């Protein structure tokens, strides 16, 4: 597993209106649209911290389910599309990465306490070397394109199985109103 859940010592955690998060290993994550900016809520770091919206005790603060300190959410209540890009550091032998699969928990809030569901369907591309220059390679995952009936805490494992990965690009979408949001994203190596 690639540990991208710990922010660097300088404390930048991709919160408020920021759309970028940098982990301690140098991995960068960027979202479009930016993070929904409300106090400590919906930070980009919550997407990588191992917390689980179905177990509020794993979240940083918050005592109700779902905790807004447990998942990432994009700005704009009726945003239909977005993007999360994860770029691994280029530090000699560390680059490129060997990625076996990614695990996504796409349901941040299931609507059980009123209001609209907060989730995002997705497609994923691998950013890898295609000869002499980097290219995007699509990863087939039909189940990823319709996650609206998933439960909070439930995950999808998406096989990548490449040893030349420089980054991952997730294209998010939601067919109806409500916020684009994800509970957790984890990258596994072999």
């Amino acid at each position: 597993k690639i540990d991208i859940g710990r922010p660097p010592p300088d404390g930048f955690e991709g919160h408020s209106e920021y759309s970028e998060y940098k982990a301690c290993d140098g991995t960068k994550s960027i979202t479009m649209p930016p993070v929904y900016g409300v106090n400590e809520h919906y930070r980009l770091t919550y997407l990588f911290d191992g917390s689980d919206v179905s177990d509020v005790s794993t979240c940083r603060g918050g005592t109700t389910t779902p905790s807004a300190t447990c998942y990432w959410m994009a700005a704009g209540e009726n945003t239909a599309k977005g993007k999360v890009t994860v770029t691994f550091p280029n530090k000699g032998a560390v680059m490129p990465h060997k990625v076996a699969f990614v695990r996504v928990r796409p349901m941040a809030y299931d609507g059980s306490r009123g209001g609209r569901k907060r989730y995002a369907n997705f497609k994923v591309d691998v950013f890898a070397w295609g000869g002499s220059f980097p290219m995007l390679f699509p990863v087939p995952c039909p189940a990823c394109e319709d996650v609206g009936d998933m439960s909070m805490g439930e995950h999808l494992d998406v096989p990548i199985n490449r040893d030349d990965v420089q980054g991952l690009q997730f294209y998010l979408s939601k067919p109806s109103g409500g916020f684009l949001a994800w509970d957790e994203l984890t990258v596994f190596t072999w």
Side-chain angles (χ1 to χ4, degrees):
K1 177 173 137 176
I2 299 175
D3 182 11
I4 51 179
R6 291 181 300 135
D10 65 11
F12 178 70
E13 295 187 29
H15 59 285
S16 298
E17 66 276 357
Y18 296 113
S19 60
E20 184 176 326
Y21 165 73
K22 184 177 178 184
C24 62
D25 73 345
T27 299
K28 290 183 183 177
S29 300
I30 299 172
T31 65
M32 234 6 227
V35 174
Y36 186 84
V38 179
N39 301 321
E40 301 292 309
H41 299 170
Y42 316 117
R43 288 182 174 194
L44 187 52
T45 189
Y46 301 154
L47 187 57
F48 307 104
D49 66 359
S51 60
D52 185 337
V53 294
S54 65
D55 179 3
V56 73
S57 70
T58 65
C59 306
R60 282 197 231 174
T63 56
T64 60
T65 301
S67 172
T69 59
C70 205
Y71 64 93
W72 163 81
M73 188 169 73
E77 186 169 1
N78 292 306
T79 302
K81 295 184 184 282
K83 186 166 46 173
V84 173
T85 304
V86 177
T87 307
F88 300 117
N90 188 0
K91 294 181 181 176
V94 176
M95 184 70 161
H97 278 66
K98 296 177 180 179
V99 177
F101 65 97
V102 293
R103 176 169 289 161
V104 178
R105 287 200 309 262
M107 183 60 68
Y109 171 59
D110 62 7
S112 60
R113 295 181 181 250
R116 294 179 173 171
K117 291 182 178 183
R118 295 178 177 179
Y119 69 94
N121 298 319
F122 64 99
K123 293 181 181 182
V124 61
D125 285 348
V126 172
F127 188 57
W129 287 103
S132 59
F133 54 90
M135 296 177 60
L136 288 173
F137 297 92
V139 176
C141 181
C144 302
E145 296 178 37
D146 188 11
V147 300
D149 290 329
M150 290 183 72
S151 300
M152 293 187 318
E154 191 176 357
H155 68 265
L156 285 171
D157 288 341
V158 182
I160 303 296
N161 296 319
R162 293 186 68 118
D163 63 0
D164 60 350
V165 178
Q166 292 183 292
L168 301 162
Q169 191 150 284
F170 298 88
Y171 303 94
L172 312 180
S173 65
K174 193 167 178 221
S176 59
F179 290 96
L180 283 175
W182 266 2
D183 175 18
E184 195 73 20
L185 172 61
T186 310
V187 179
F188 290 87
T189 61
W190 77 81

